[in-house]
Amino acid sequence: MTFNDRIFGVLMIVLAVAYGWGATQFPEPFGGGAEAVGPETFPYLLAVVLTLSSLYMIVRPDPDNAWPWSRTGLELVIAVVVLVFYAMLLQPLGFIPSTLLAVGTLCWRMGAPPVKAYLTGAIAGVVVFLLFNFALDLALPLGLLDFLEAT
């Protein structure tokens, strides 16, 4: 039944539009001016990729696409809930703690032992934070770690 893919594709287009609109709400970087790469660049790219992928699902759905209503379906719902909480906690907690919790929880749900899962989350959060802040010169929210900010 190709109806499931088409419904999912439409829902993902709605998500892509909301995600792209959310990127327009980012404050202008310090120093102002039009920059080629700003904090909204990556979300714009993700919104475009999600839109194109969703359109493909609508136009060419999988003919055999039974939705997983068993344990796999539950794990997908948990993953979506984790990502929603990640987005909600990104500003107040900061990038590193939020990423630690989100990546750690997702790794744990995929079968990794809890210590290794959350260690992976911590490493991912720190590495991505350092890459964005120092290599790309794009500030990510510090949140609880605001005391680390150089004055």
Side-chain angles (χ1 to χ4, degrees), residues 5-151:
D5 274 357
R6 289 193 171 120
I7 291 173
F8 187 70
V10 169
L11 292 174
M12 290 299 99
I13 286 177
V14 170
L15 178 65
V17 169
Y19 194 70
W21 177 81
T24 66
Q25 306 305 306
F26 289 162
E28 189 172 309
F30 180 73
E35 298 177 9
V37 176
E40 73 283 346
T41 304
F42 189 64
Y44 282 158
L45 290 173
L46 286 178
V48 168
V49 169
L50 182 57
T51 300
L52 293 174
S53 301
S54 300
L55 286 172
Y56 182 81
M57 286 180 69
I58 292 169
V59 174
R60 298 201 47 153
D62 185 6
D64 180 31
N65 66 342
W67 282 23
W69 294 114
S70 60
R71 179 171 165 79
T72 304
L74 175 64
E75 293 298 330
L76 289 172
V77 169
I78 290 170
V80 169
V81 169
V82 166
L83 293 175
V84 167
F85 275 107
Y86 177 67
M88 290 172 35
L89 296 174
L90 197 56
Q91 276 298 86
L93 288 183
F95 181 81
I96 294 173
S98 299
T99 302
L100 179 154
L101 292 172
V103 172
T105 302
L106 292 173
C107 288
W108 171 59
R109 297 305 303 166
M110 287 190 272
V115 172
K116 287 184 180 181
Y118 287 98
L119 181 62
T120 300
I123 292 169
V126 170
V127 168
V128 172
F129 182 85
L130 293 174
L131 283 173
F132 269 71
N133 274 297
F134 297 110
L136 298 174
D137 201 27
L138 297 173
L140 293 172
L142 285 170
L144 298 174
L145 303 176
D146 197 28
F147 64 90
L148 295 175
E149 188 170 28
T151 55

